[in-house]
Amino acid sequence: MSGAASGVGGSKPAGRPDLDRGLGRVGMIAFVGAIAAAVAYVAWSIYSDAAASGVQPTTYLPFVLLFVALLIALGFEFVNGFHDTANAVATVIYTNAMPAHAAVVWSGFFNFLGVLVSSGAVAFGIVSLLPVELILKVGSNAGFAMVFALLIAAIVWNLATWWFGLPSSSSHTLIGSIIGVGVANALLHGKSGTSGVDWGKATEIGQALLLSPLIGFGVAALLLLAMKVLVRNRALYAEPKDGVPPPWWIRGLLIFTCTGVSFAHGSNDGQKGMGLIMLILIGTVPTAYALNRAVPDRYMAEFHANTVAAAGVLGAPAAAGTTPAQARATITHYIADRKFTPATLPALGVLIRDVDVQVSEYGSLAKVPAAAVGNIRNDMYLASEAIRWLGKDKKAALPEASTKALAAYKGSLDAGTRFIPTWVKVAVALALGLGTMVGWKRIVVTVGEKIGKSHLTYAQGASAELVAMGTIAGADMLGLPVSTTHVLSSGVAGTMAANRSGLQMGTIRNLLMAWVLTLPASILLSGGLYLLFHALVA
């Protein structure tokens, strides 16, 4: 490549691994074949699901929009793949632990596996960050404007940082895009720009900007210094000889951490695309995807029992004359504004009882007619989100027994609405895995050559990658708001400082600028695109 990946073209500098060997003719044929097979598989799966649920299309426009939206959503995951590849492969490539062409295929495969075994919890967590009124009307023009705006904004910023070879966080970009849509939507409806936006996530990103570089730089530097004391092998701390791999145990450690980071990236980042794809499917083909028609036979009895328990802890029904529509409006306002009032719990009680009546009327989720699917799913979604926020709301002051009963009921609601078809997982896994195998060179060169003034040593690569993998595990267990991308890049910088190799301050400055600008830039991009698309379809 050329351009931003300066130093990539021309003769290979001494000590640099071979970055120019591609997949080969057979590999490219397989790559293109995999993409074609994935597109055909997605189209066949949607057709099969729609036919099985009895969908009778009266116009093909929704399916055209569905195809375009899915293409953009899978495109986001594809870009995410090559944008974040450096997190896993830069150290194994620059320490000669694996050849570059083998490392990216290896990483792509484990990204693929990570997506396939993921739970889906993160997927719907991302969806919950969106404005509630747009989620309830995701099949409307405004809903499509939201989906297109946030995905295109995230893709544009990821491509911009990739072009300049800057490793930035794709997760921060996506969350910024979601916040931007929320701000723009609030302004369109005459509300404050802070209304209906989960600013807690923005705060987490701010914390990550502070914590991640400190953790990466400090812990990787300390680990390298500890290795120098405990492992007195001069070859580990010298520049690798051209093509010579590290000692077997360092090589094994580097390949293990590359595998772990790739797998974790797939299992986490892949889910974000899944959640948005499910939102698209619910908006365009609600009959097939709004409700989980594959719940077990015992579901209805459990759902009714959990409804009775949840309604019981909320007290007697609201005053006569309170309709489900009024209760629905009250709960929608509570979720959007996060303001608990005396009417919140009674309204939730009315909504819960009404959902039970609607579901029981048909005897099974699979038997809910097309005309009723959207309303039932929206009511189930509102009840679930209200319970989630009540659990965090100190003003609600719910006793422990009530919290448990509501949590059990929420589990029943989520089982009926929060599901991911196998084909969605496979499509996202292929997009992320295949994306990992192309376009990786720019950012890998930055991490491997442009952070420090000397070549990455075996010990430096092992220290930085071990900290990156440990950060993923620690963040999952402790809920720490850290970015693996930031940890790895700053970890390489930390090992350079500890080794007194010197830092390329121009690169460090550019990295910090990209990290700081990611959130505001993605907010402005997505907000502006949402306003533009909303005006075009209004």
Side-chain angles (χ1 to χ4, degrees):
M1 290 185 183
S2 59
S6 56
V8 176
S11 59
K12 182 170 79 74
R16 174 193 276 185
D18 183 4
L19 303 177
D20 297 317
R21 181 176 175 182
L23 298 174
R25 179 174 295 180
V26 174
M28 284 306 300
I29 292 173
F31 184 86
V32 174
I35 293 176
V39 171
Y41 175 61
V42 168
W44 177 82
S45 298
I46 294 173
Y47 172 79
S48 299
D49 290 346
S53 60
V55 174
Q56 300 292 333
T58 56
T59 174
Y60 287 98
L61 179 60
F63 290 93
V64 172
L65 290 174
L66 172 62
F67 176 78
V68 174
L70 287 178
L71 198 63
I72 295 173
L74 292 173
F76 166 76
E77 287 296 346
F78 188 85
V79 172
N80 188 3
F82 66 72
H83 186 273
D84 288 2
T85 306
N87 289 340
V89 303
T91 54
V92 295
I93 291 174
Y94 273 86
T95 56
N96 301 321
M98 291 181 80
H101 68 284
V104 294
V105 173
W106 180 272
S107 177
F109 176 70
F110 281 97
N111 265 282
F112 177 86
L113 286 184
V115 176
L116 289 185
V117 303
S118 60
S119 65
V122 174
F124 294 103
I126 284 292
V127 171
S128 297
L129 298 176
L130 293 165
V132 62
E133 60 268 29
L134 292 181
I135 293 176
L136 298 179
K137 299 177 181 178
V138 70
S140 65
N141 289 340
F144 275 106
M146 169 189 72
V147 171
F148 287 142
L150 69 90
L151 284 173
I152 292 173
I155 290 172
V156 167
W157 183 253
N158 275 350
L159 285 176
T161 52
W162 165 80
W163 179 258
F164 291 104
L166 299 173
S168 63
S169 173
S170 294
S171 296
H172 291 184
T173 302
L174 182 59
I175 292 170
S177 297
I178 290 172
I179 291 174
V181 167
V183 170
N185 183 67
L187 293 174
L188 276 177
H189 290 83
K191 300 180 182 178
S192 161
T194 61
S195 176
V197 175
D198 188 357
W199 289 103
K201 283 294 176 184
T203 303
E204 284 186 10
I205 292 176
Q207 292 172 345
L209 285 172
L210 294 174
L211 285 176
S212 299
L214 294 176
I215 291 174
F217 190 96
V219 178
L222 291 174
L223 186 57
L224 179 67
L225 293 174
M227 284 183 66
K228 284 188 170 185
V229 173
L230 299 173
V231 185
R232 297 184 179 276
N233 183 341
R234 293 177 64 89
L236 295 180
Y237 312 106
E239 181 176 323
K241 294 180 180 178
D242 199 7
V244 178
W248 67 268
W249 62 276
I250 285 284
R251 190 177 194 179
L253 178 63
L254 282 162
I255 293 174
F256 171 72
T257 52
C258 167
T259 304
V261 171
S262 299
F263 185 86
H265 181 259
S267 64
N268 189 283
D269 278 41
Q271 292 191 60
K272 293 158 187 172
M274 287 183 213
L276 295 172
I277 287 174
M278 287 309 299
L279 200 61
I280 293 165
L281 291 170
I282 290 165
T284 51
V285 198
T287 306
Y289 299 108
L291 297 175
N292 186 0
R293 296 172 177 271
V295 290
D297 293 338
R298 66 177 185 277
Y299 176 80
M300 295 302 295
E302 291 176 354
F303 183 81
H304 178 69
N306 288 333
T307 298
V308 172
V313 303
L314 293 173
T322 301
T323 65
Q326 291 170 330
R328 193 175 298 119
T330 299
I331 296 302
T332 301
H333 287 308
Y334 172 65
I335 296 170
D337 301 331
R338 321 277 199 268
K339 293 180 180 179
F340 181 83
T341 68
T344 302
L345 293 181
L348 181 59
V350 171
L351 189 62
I352 284 174
R353 292 179 178 91
D354 186 60
V355 169
D356 188 46
V357 170
Q358 293 181 72
V359 172
S360 300
E361 180 181 350
Y362 303 108
S364 166
L365 293 183
K367 296 178 182 178
V368 177
V373 163
N375 288 336
I376 291 179
R377 187 200 179 275
N378 282 349
D379 285 351
M380 293 174 78
Y381 174 81
L382 284 173
S384 177
E385 281 297 285
I387 292 170
R388 181 172 74 90
W389 284 108
L390 283 171
K392 303 177 182 180
D393 199 329
K394 294 181 180 179
K395 292 183 179 179
L398 293 174
E400 186 177 350
S402 299
T403 302
K404 287 182 178 179
L406 290 173
Y409 176 65
K410 184 180 186 302
S412 293
L413 292 170
D414 293 346
T417 57
R418 300 191 175 196
F419 68 102
I420 298 175
T422 302
W423 72 262
V424 173
K425 282 192 173 186
V426 172
V428 170
L430 282 170
L432 190 64
L434 292 174
T436 300
M437 300 178 195
V438 299
W440 46 270
K441 194 173 180 181
R442 291 177 181 271
I443 294 179
V444 164
V445 168
T446 298
V447 175
E449 297 180 21
K450 297 182 179 180
I451 292 178
K453 291 183 177 179
S454 66
H455 194 288
L456 197 68
T457 68
Y458 301 137
Q460 286 174 320
S463 298
E465 196 69 33
L466 194 60
V467 170
M469 194 183 79
T471 299
I472 291 176
D476 287 343
M477 289 187 294
L478 303 175
L480 296 174
V482 295
S483 163
T484 308
T485 302
H486 297 174
V487 169
L488 179 70
S489 302
S490 55
V492 171
T495 62
M496 290 292 174
N499 207 40
R500 298 183 180 179
S501 304
L503 296 172
Q504 298 190 44
M505 297 312 297
T507 301
I508 301 299
R509 183 179 61 252
N510 291 340
L511 284 176
L512 292 175
M513 187 178 298
W515 294 352
V516 171
L517 290 178
T518 290
L519 190 65
S522 53
I523 288 174
L524 289 173
L525 271 172
S526 65
L529 285 172
Y530 177 72
L531 293 174
L532 173 63
F533 295 157
H534 190 277
L536 291 175
V537 299

